[in-house]
Amino acid sequence: MRAELYHRSVVAVLILLLTVPVLATLLYSLSEHWGATILPDDLSLSWYLQLWQDSAFLAAFGRSLAVCLGTLLLATLIIVPAVFVVFYRFPGLDKLMNALILIPFAVPPVVTSVGLLNIYADGPLNITGTPWILVGCYFTIALPFMYRSLANSLASINVRDLMDAAHLLGASTPVAFLRVILPNLRKGLMASLFLAFSFLLGDFVFANLLAGSHYETLQVYLYNMRQTSGHFTSAIVMSYFLFTLFLTWLTARFSK
């Protein structure tokens, strides 16, 4: 009984620590004025109306969605067949791939950005300040999420036996992959896509250093608006948080 009470208390304190800052930000974004009083003077949706009527915010949000969706489309077209080839043809390469996918997390983002700027700032392939450099950079960030999730899905099924059975039934390797293997990867693929999308949407370092105001994304827009009203920036943060919460719900739904 005491152990159960202790566990419930720990969970309650943890939930309190996580929810209080979010609720405070939400309340601040809904308040017209909040001076020396404990609670705000009055509540309204004026900051949210002002935010969602701001063309700069809508453009930045659209750019973030375009870069993230383009990155995930490219990653799906490349990583899904690559993981299948590793598990079906070269299973010994899985250990090497597990080491390689850690490189994006081993190198600090600032160091990576400086290296990319030195390569692509001059010369025939000058793509700094464009969405293309963000797509290429974000691809390396999405790689660990997608590869590990797809690898776990493939490890739970016998790929070689399924492919051999499909071949005996007359299917070619591409057809067997599309109609037998790919449906078994659907849940893992969807979960990895939503997780990677949530992570990429919140990136600031790469977006600010590689593109900046030339291609203003959501996080760069939030940084540029830091000198405005705190109520307005709180509305931006809460809008981003609610959108990410919706993606998390979708991830949990597709992971079942």
Side-chain angles (χ1 to χ4, degrees):
M1 186 65 180
R2 291 182 177 178
E4 183 179 358
L5 180 61
Y6 172 76
H7 293 158
R8 289 179 179 272
S9 301
V10 171
V11 173
V13 171
L14 180 61
I15 293 176
L16 185 66
L17 292 175
L18 293 176
T19 55
V20 166
V22 176
L23 293 177
T25 305
L26 175 62
L27 187 61
Y28 195 70
S29 66
L30 293 173
S31 62
E32 285 285 350
H33 303 283
W34 196 344
T37 57
I38 297 178
L39 295 177
D41 298 331
D42 48 2
L43 301 178
S44 71
L45 295 174
S46 60
W47 298 111
Y48 287 93
L49 294 176
Q50 180 181 344
L51 173 65
W52 287 97
Q53 291 175 356
D54 185 6
S55 59
F57 167 75
L58 296 177
F61 190 70
R63 294 188 193 101
S64 294
L65 291 180
V67 170
C68 293
L69 293 177
T71 301
L72 295 180
L73 177 61
L74 177 65
T76 301
L77 295 177
I78 295 178
I79 297 175
V80 175
V83 177
F84 168 72
V85 170
V86 168
F87 272 78
Y88 182 54
R89 293 293 186 183
F90 310 102
L93 292 178
D94 184 51
K95 294 182 179 179
L96 176 62
M97 290 298 298
N98 287 328
L100 292 178
I101 62 176
L102 296 178
I103 295 178
F105 296 106
V107 181
V110 176
V111 177
T112 304
S113 300
V114 172
L116 292 173
L117 288 174
N118 289 331
I119 296 174
Y120 296 108
D122 296 316
L125 197 61
N126 186 358
I127 57 175
T128 57
T130 67
W132 309 114
I133 192 171
L134 291 179
V135 170
C137 183
Y138 285 173
F139 174 83
T140 62
I141 301 176
L143 174 61
F145 293 100
M146 296 187 64
Y147 181 86
R148 192 64 266 156
S149 179
L150 294 173
N152 291 336
S153 298
L154 285 174
S156 63
I157 62 176
N158 197 323
V159 178
R160 186 165 295 277
D161 287 349
L162 288 176
M163 292 297 296
D164 290 343
H167 288 156
L168 288 175
L169 294 173
S172 62
T173 298
V175 173
F177 168 72
L178 292 175
R179 303 189 63 178
V180 179
I181 302 301
L182 195 58
N184 287 279
L185 301 179
R186 182 181 56 189
K187 292 183 179 180
L189 176 61
M190 295 301 296
S192 64
L193 287 176
F194 282 117
L195 288 174
F197 184 83
S198 300
F199 190 84
L200 296 178
L201 191 64
D203 169 70
F204 169 73
V205 176
F206 290 115
N208 186 48
L209 293 178
L210 298 178
S213 299
H214 296 286
Y215 192 79
E216 190 180 53
T217 60
L218 181 60
Q219 296 299 324
V220 177
Y221 172 83
L222 176 60
Y223 176 76
N224 292 334
M225 299 298 292
R226 67 189 185 279
Q227 300 297 336
T228 60
S229 172
H231 302 278
F232 185 76
T233 54
S234 296
I236 301 174
V237 172
M238 287 308 305
S239 298
Y240 167 74
F241 175 78
L242 293 175
F243 186 75
T244 306
L245 186 64
F246 174 72
L247 292 180
T248 305
W249 175 79
L250 287 179
T251 302
R253 183 177 180 86
F254 280 104
S255 298
K256 291 183 180 180

